[in-house]
Amino acid sequence: MLAYIIRRILLIIPTLFGIMVINFAIVHVAPGGPVEQMIAEIKGTAVSATGRFSGDEGSEVSGQQQNQTMGQGAGSVQSKYRGAQGLDPEFVKQIEKQFGFDKPSHERFFLLMGNYLTFDFGKSYFLDKSVASLVIEKMPVSISLGLWSLILIYMISIPLGIAKAVRDGSRFDVSTSAAIIVGNAVPGFLFAILLVVLFAGGRYFDWFPLRGILSSNWRELSTFALIGDYFWHMALPIISLVIGGFAGLTMLTKNSFLDQINQQYVVTARAKGLTERAVLYGHVFRNAMLIVIAGFPSAFIGLLFTGSLLIEVIFSLDGLGLLGFEAAINRDYPVLFGTLFFFTLIGLVLQLISDLVYTLVDPRIDFESREV
């Protein structure tokens, strides 16, 4: 097993490199870029990811707002050229040099990967912060949403899927299928809006907060009060993700168990006099759970990044999903590639962990004797 783990860790390196190459090429082929974004900021016509203009049309943007938007160096350039109808080509070349676009694409890519090898993820073009500090700053929100939601989804979906498989066609199976159909049909962000309307001061009750993961006075709270405050803030976002995500896993679990229950080895086990519980959890469980475990890495990354994006917006949670989305819209390449590198690396490591969990669920699986 140790040799297999070493091979898989070594395989992460070319896989990560290939993913970064493909995404680097796609991003740079796409129209627009940080230079164009900067020029739009200078002219006051840029639109942020949330739909706000960097400046009102026909009015000058203050130097302080410029510095907050683009950093000190970019802000000083914008102050000099604000309100200009056209830009000097030499000035555009200065902007290209500032962003490193005076170098060929392949040189910029290898410089990027070289910096990543030393964990130097660069600095945001427009937020005047390092990418590492931004990721660390946003990580608690996304980890909270992704981890708690995934734990609850698995805790609900697996027992429910097993119960539906054992009682296939019964009244319980039919009645619970109604909730699963709703969960499949309605996106999680619509449940989030409904919860806001019902319980967060939207129209009926004002029981839960609508912003952040902690109250403003969290430093004054005791340990137990702080934990309670945290879950009070996270309750509605987590419920939204769980309702929107449990249906697919429940049906996957049910179908996987149904497929195994109909196998010949189950008939043989029953013929030997084993109880239904012994057959289900002693033989069926470890085979049926393999496909469920296989989907764990993608499910976690999905909840951590794409799945929680709209939830973060609705509940005013400043997490990694919103950070990556804004970076893509605003062409903030250091943040975009930094978060891509981070999520890809986590996904590859989780895939290795899920393979190792296979051996715990079913000891008959031996990766040691197989090629990677």
Side-chain angles (χ1 to χ4, degrees), residues 219-236:
R219 290 184 176 86
E220 304 171 5
L221 301 177
S222 64
T223 301
F224 290 106
L226 185 62
I227 295 174
D229 184 72
Y230 166 77
F231 283 107
W232 182 46
H233 281 77
M234 296 301 298
L236 295 187

Side-chain angles (χ1 to χ4, degrees), residues 15-28:
T15 305
L16 185 59
F17 182 82
I19 291 173
M20 294 300 296
V21 168
I22 294 172
N23 283 274
F24 186 89
I26 292 174
V27 167
H28 282 76

Side-chain angles (χ1 to χ4, degrees), residues 138-198:
K138 315 296 184 184
M139 191 182 298
V141 173
S142 294
I143 291 293
S144 296
L145 284 174
L147 186 60
W148 290 118
S149 300
L150 199 64
I151 289 174
L152 288 176
I153 287 173
Y154 271 75
M155 288 179 63
I156 294 172
S157 299
I158 292 176
L160 181 59
I162 295 174
K164 287 176 66 64
V166 173
R167 299 172 177 84
D168 184 39
S170 67
R171 182 177 299 177
F172 171 81
D173 182 38
V174 174
S175 60
T176 53
S177 294
I180 292 174
I181 291 173
V182 173
N184 265 324
V186 183
F189 72 89
L190 289 182
F191 283 113
I193 295 173
L194 177 63
L195 292 176
V196 169
V197 172
L198 292 177

Side-chain angles (χ1 to χ4, degrees), residues 162 166 256-289 361 364:
I162 295 174
V166 173
S256 179
F257 270 80
L258 281 177
D259 178 67
Q260 293 298 319
I261 287 173
N262 295 324
Q263 297 294 323
Q264 184 62 42
Y265 74 89
V266 176
V267 177
T268 303
R270 287 171 176 165
K272 290 181 178 179
L274 295 179
T275 63
E276 284 297 316
R277 184 178 182 85
V279 171
L280 185 64
Y281 292 101
H283 297 274
V284 175
F285 183 83
R286 63 184 182 183
N287 294 322
M289 285 301 295
V361 177
R364 295 172 299 173

Side-chain angles (χ1 to χ4, degrees), residues 109-149:
F109 174 76
F110 285 109
L111 180 62
L112 176 76
M113 296 307 297
N115 290 334
Y116 281 7
L117 290 177
T118 60
F119 298 99
D120 178 11
F121 297 100
K123 189 175 182 179
S124 170
Y125 286 155
F126 305 108
L127 298 177
D128 198 27
K129 289 184 178 180
S130 68
V131 175
S133 65
L134 284 171
V135 170
I136 293 173
E137 179 184 336
K138 315 296 184 184
M139 191 182 298
V141 173
S142 294
I143 291 293
S144 296
L145 284 174
L147 186 60
W148 290 118
S149 300

